[in-house]
Amino acid sequence: MYSLPFNRKLERAPLVNHHHREAWKHSVDADVAYFVYAPLVWRLFSVSCPKIAGLHSFIVDPAGSSEGLDSIPIWRSLRYLGLKSTIAGRYLKHARMTEFSSFDAIHTLSKSTRISHPNIFHIPSFVDTEMYRPISQKTSRFTVLFSGRGDWTKGIGTFIEIAQLLPADCYRFETVGTAAKTRPVHDMGFMSGEDLVRAYSEAHCLVHPSRADVCPLSILESLACGTPVITTPLSSHQRLRLPLIYAQTVTQMAHQLNILRELWMHRPDDYAKLSRNARIAAVAYDVNTIGPMYEKMLESVRRSQL
């Protein structure tokens, strides 16, 4: 693995038993190179083998992965998306063909990402369902979880508004990985491994009010732990073909939470069935099912250049 020398928090770095090198310029000897694509940055890696561009970010095609972010004015983009994403988005509007024609293949996590290239692989994210599984009973108080970055695109502001709207004596709102300090939300800090699995398992619902997404892991992880998900009706979410509960506004999401809480309190068998069905649906995205698709993609691109 090769990456640029950005200042990362070590506790969030994946634990992998592979060669890993950080530098501003790389010369790579490989059979095939997979780039987690970022505009222009990939040119800092010198490779002579076939190249795959992995399109993991909504910024590549905001029209297919968001609600209206492709047409917002630049001042709003700078405010909510930040400088890097704004520059990347503006650049790709004019240089998409030039950028992607340099790659031998394109990999997208969702068919909602619209891209033109003669060799495209649509392979979603995956989840380890042996690790992400129900390991705890639901808490005695109806608990609502938010898992992910605490930024505007992920909808942390919407989550906080929902928490402030619903009665605190009936609900407990928790966040993981956001550093949210706004009452009545309880910030659980950064979690990984079994701690994260337990947080998913003990929650009654994950609320994922994202404004832009491609193939969010938190949805797959939550369902695998038997926890229903309320999320926005983005095209990328609907294409997952999962039993998600869709809502657009703060009021709609609060209403869906009230329905879920009533189900859990007064029809526990029906809530348990909902939980089981969530787990069953997530198994379709298990690493043992999706992983071989990545292997076949790499082998296919490698062989195409022989």
Side-chain angles (χ1 to χ4, degrees):
M1 295 193 304
Y2 299 85
S3 62
L4 300 182
F6 293 128
N7 183 24
R8 296 180 178 84
K9 294 183 177 180
L10 293 179
E11 69 272 16
R12 300 192 182 192
L15 301 176
V16 292
N17 297 317
H18 299 289
H19 170 75
H20 179 220
R21 180 173 179 265
E22 292 188 352
W24 286 111
K25 187 75 174 177
H26 294 278
S27 180
V28 181
D29 180 20
D31 295 316
V32 61
Y34 184 96
F35 290 80
V36 178
Y37 175 79
L40 297 176
V41 174
W42 65 271
R43 297 180 185 273
L44 296 172
F45 298 78
S46 174
V47 299
S48 57
C49 59
K51 301 188 296 295
I52 303 172
L55 309 186
H56 294 206
S57 171
F58 75 90
I59 207 67
V60 173
D61 179 31
S65 307
S66 70
E67 290 292 341
L69 294 188
D70 58 315
S71 58
I72 61 175
I74 191 168
W75 66 266
R76 197 159 182 250
S77 179
L78 287 167
R79 178 180 178 184
Y80 293 115
L81 304 183
L83 180 62
K84 287 190 295 184
S85 292
T86 298
I87 292 174
R90 268 23 185 205
Y91 170 75
L92 284 174
K93 278 189 175 182
H94 304 287
R96 284 165 67 98
M97 294 302 295
T98 303
E99 281 280 280
F100 298 131
S101 64
S102 300
F103 289 90
D104 300 278
I106 299 293
H107 166 229
T108 71
L109 294 172
S110 171
K111 289 184 178 180
S112 66
T113 301
R114 300 169 301 179
I115 204 76
S116 178
H117 193 277
N119 195 17
I120 300 179
F121 296 85
H122 300 291
I123 308 174
S125 301
F126 53 79
V127 62
D128 183 349
T129 57
E130 290 188 7
M131 176 179 177
Y132 288 91
R133 67 195 192 285
I135 63 171
S136 304
Q137 295 295 319
K138 302 299 183 185
T139 57
S140 58
R141 186 175 170 196
F142 195 89
T143 299
V144 185
L145 185 67
F146 178 101
S147 177
R149 298 192 313 275
D151 59 24
W152 183 80
T153 59
K154 293 302 180 186
I156 184 61
T158 301
F159 184 81
I160 292 171
E161 287 186 58
I162 297 168
Q164 293 172 337
L165 178 64
L166 293 173
D169 57 335
C170 296
Y171 294 86
R172 177 180 171 87
F173 286 84
E174 297 178 346
T175 60
V176 172
T178 67
K181 303 297 183 183
T182 304
R183 297 180 68 182
V185 174
H186 300 268
D187 175 34
M188 309 295 285
F190 176 76
M191 286 184 175
S192 61
E194 190 169 314
D195 290 336
L196 181 58
V197 175
R198 182 168 290 104
Y200 280 125
S201 299
E202 292 180 351
H204 297 80
C205 178
L206 175 81
V207 170
H208 186 78
S210 182
R211 295 180 172 90
D213 255 330
V214 182
C215 188
L217 276 175
S218 57
I219 286 180
L220 300 180
E221 292 167 350
S222 180
L223 294 178
C225 293
T227 299
V229 176
I230 296 175
T231 191
T232 46
L234 299 178
S235 174
S236 52
H237 291 163
Q238 296 185 52
R239 284 179 178 270
L240 292 171
R241 302 291 190 267
L242 289 169
L244 305 174
I245 302 168
Y246 294 112
Q248 188 73 57
T249 66
V250 169
T251 302
Q252 290 171 356
M253 290 189 174
H255 176 65
Q256 292 296 339
L257 282 172
N258 281 329
I259 292 174
L260 267 184
R261 183 173 177 272
E262 288 295 310
L263 189 71
W264 169 69
M265 290 181 62
H266 302 297
R267 293 159 54 196
D269 290 344
D270 288 341
Y271 178 86
K273 182 179 179 181
L274 189 68
S275 179
R276 288 193 301 272
N277 288 341
R279 166 73 182 176
I280 291 169
V283 170
Y285 289 83
D286 182 69
V287 62
N288 292 316
T289 299
I290 306 298
M293 298 180 187
Y294 282 85
E295 294 177 354
K296 289 179 181 179
M297 172 183 67
L298 295 172
E299 182 63 20
S300 173
V301 175
R302 185 190 71 85
R303 287 182 176 275
S304 67
Q305 301 300 310
L306 295 179

